[in-house]
């Protein structure tokens, strides 16, 4: 019996209860044992390897970093929510900035053209990150619909450094997804990319051409040294 078949057999036969990770079957997907610093180094290494950009900011002053980023990128119209703390803080910080804040909590049919043609960037929170793959995970809501991370040319995601897990398995366990998956969780591992039949890689064809991750640190911004 292959390792894959053995794992599937365990999943089919297991009794109700939390999914555990016995060494014999699941060692390949968990048990990395990384420190918080190592998680951050690995996360940044992998996400920047696929053209993602990481900006380190202090947790209590991150919105100023956002304002500077928008100025550097020439963003004049930013799509964002209202209710999430990330959106609320961003709105306060950008109240006097030369940036139009575009509400996203409305029927897509009513502002479809505006979203596809007039929005320069979309701002979202994140649930956390995955160090092993350099991925973000997002849990869309009516206040932060998935389209603001999939449509604008630039996706700006806010990630707390202490919410990065080692692996996807660790994320599933930590969030208790076995007991109730979100309707539409998103995993984001860099900007949109595709390749033609000649395997020429292109960015931004089917989604954002840029992904910028604002990594928030408690007590001050800190680079990884990677």
């Amino acid at each position: 019996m292959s390792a894959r078949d053995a794992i599937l057999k365990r999943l089919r036969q297991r009794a109700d209860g939390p999914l555990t990770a016995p060494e014999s079957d699941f060692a390949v997907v968990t048990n990395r044992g990384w420190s918080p610093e190592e998680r951050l180094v690995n996360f940044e290494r992998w996400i920047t390897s696929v053209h993602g950009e990481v900006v380190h900011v202090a947790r209590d002053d991150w919105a100023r970093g956002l304002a500077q980023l928008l100025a550097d990128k020439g963003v004049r119209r930013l799509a964002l929510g209202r209710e999430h703390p990330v959106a609320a803080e961003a709105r306060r910080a950008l109240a006097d900035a030369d940036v139009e804040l575009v509400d996203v909590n409305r029927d897509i049919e009513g502002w479809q053209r505006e979203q596809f043609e007039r929005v320069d960037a979309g701002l979202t929170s994140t649930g956390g990150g995955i160090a092993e793959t350099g991925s973000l995970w997002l849990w869309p809501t009516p206040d932060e619909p998935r389209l603001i991370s999939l449509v604008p040319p630039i996706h700006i995601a806010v990630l707390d450094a202490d919410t990065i897990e080692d692996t996807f398995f660790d994320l599933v366990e930590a969030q208790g997804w076995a007991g109730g998956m979100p309707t539409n969780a998103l995993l984001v591992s860099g900007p949109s990319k595709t390749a033609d039949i000649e395997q020429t890689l292109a960015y931004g064809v089917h989604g954002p051409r840029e992904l910028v991750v604002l990594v928030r640190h408690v007590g001050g911004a800190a680079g990884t040294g990677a």
Side-chain angles (χ1 to χ4, degrees), residues 86-104:
V86 163
E89 288 182 50
R91 285 179 177 277
R92 288 194 294 270
L94 299 173
D96 297 324
D98 186 22
V99 178
E100 179 184 347
L101 304 181
V102 180
D103 294 338
V104 296

Side-chain angles (χ1 to χ4, degrees), residues 51 73 75 77-79 114-123 147-156 190-192 203-212:
H51 290 202
K73 297 286 186 182
V75 173
R77 292 169 297 278
L78 177 69
E114 179 182 358
Q115 182 169 189
F116 279 82
E117 297 181 1
R118 296 190 62 251
V119 171
D120 298 321
L123 175 72
L147 288 178
I148 59 172
S149 66
L150 300 177
V151 173
I154 303 173
H155 175 202
I156 302 170
S192 169
Y203 289 84
V205 176
H206 302 299
R209 65 174 184 269
E210 294 184 57
L211 170 66
V212 185

Side-chain angles (χ1 to χ4, degrees), residues 7-214:
I7 292 172
L8 293 175
K9 181 179 178 181
R10 288 184 63 89
L11 290 172
R12 294 189 188 102
Q13 295 179 349
R14 77 183 186 89
D16 289 340
L19 181 63
T20 58
E23 181 71 26
S24 59
D25 289 343
F26 286 90
V28 295
V29 295
T30 188
N31 297 329
R32 297 295 181 266
W34 289 327
S35 68
E37 293 76 18
E38 289 171 323
R39 291 188 197 111
L40 184 58
V41 167
N42 282 306
F43 171 84
E44 182 166 354
R45 176 165 65 94
W46 286 114
I47 203 165
T48 56
S49 74
V50 290
H51 290 202
E53 182 179 346
V54 174
V55 177
H56 297 275
V57 292
R59 174 64 184 85
D60 59 0
D61 195 33
W62 73 272
R64 180 159 56 175
L66 170 64
Q68 184 61 54
L69 174 65
L70 298 179
D72 293 343
K73 297 286 186 182
V75 173
R76 292 290 175 262
R77 292 169 297 278
L78 177 69
L80 73 170
R82 283 188 171 274
E83 299 173 5
H84 194 282
V86 163
E89 288 182 50
R91 285 179 177 277
R92 288 194 294 270
L94 299 173
D96 297 324
D98 186 22
V99 178
E100 179 184 347
L101 304 181
V102 180
D103 294 338
V104 296
N105 188 3
R106 41 187 167 143
D107 191 324
I108 181 61
E109 297 302 325
W111 73 297
Q112 187 171 10
R113 171 166 291 190
E114 179 182 358
Q115 182 169 189
F116 279 82
E117 297 181 1
R118 296 190 62 251
V119 171
D120 298 321
L123 175 72
T124 71
S125 62
T126 65
I130 303 172
E132 186 176 57
T133 56
S135 303
L136 303 167
W137 70 270
L138 285 64
W139 193 325
T141 66
D143 185 55
E144 287 192 340
R146 63 177 183 160
L147 288 178
I148 59 172
S149 66
L150 300 177
V151 173
I154 303 173
H155 175 202
I156 302 170
V158 180
L159 171 69
D160 288 326
D162 57 4
T163 62
I164 301 174
E165 300 286 349
D166 286 7
T167 70
F168 179 69
F169 186 96
D170 297 320
L171 163 63
V172 171
E173 280 201 315
Q175 296 298 318
W177 282 5
M181 281 287 293
T183 302
N184 192 4
L186 299 179
L187 293 177
V188 178
S189 301
S192 169
K193 48 190 174 292
T194 190
D196 60 18
I197 195 170
E198 296 181 350
Q199 299 183 3
T200 301
L201 190 62
Y203 289 84
V205 176
H206 302 299
R209 65 174 184 269
E210 294 184 57
L211 170 66
V212 185
V213 184
L214 289 177

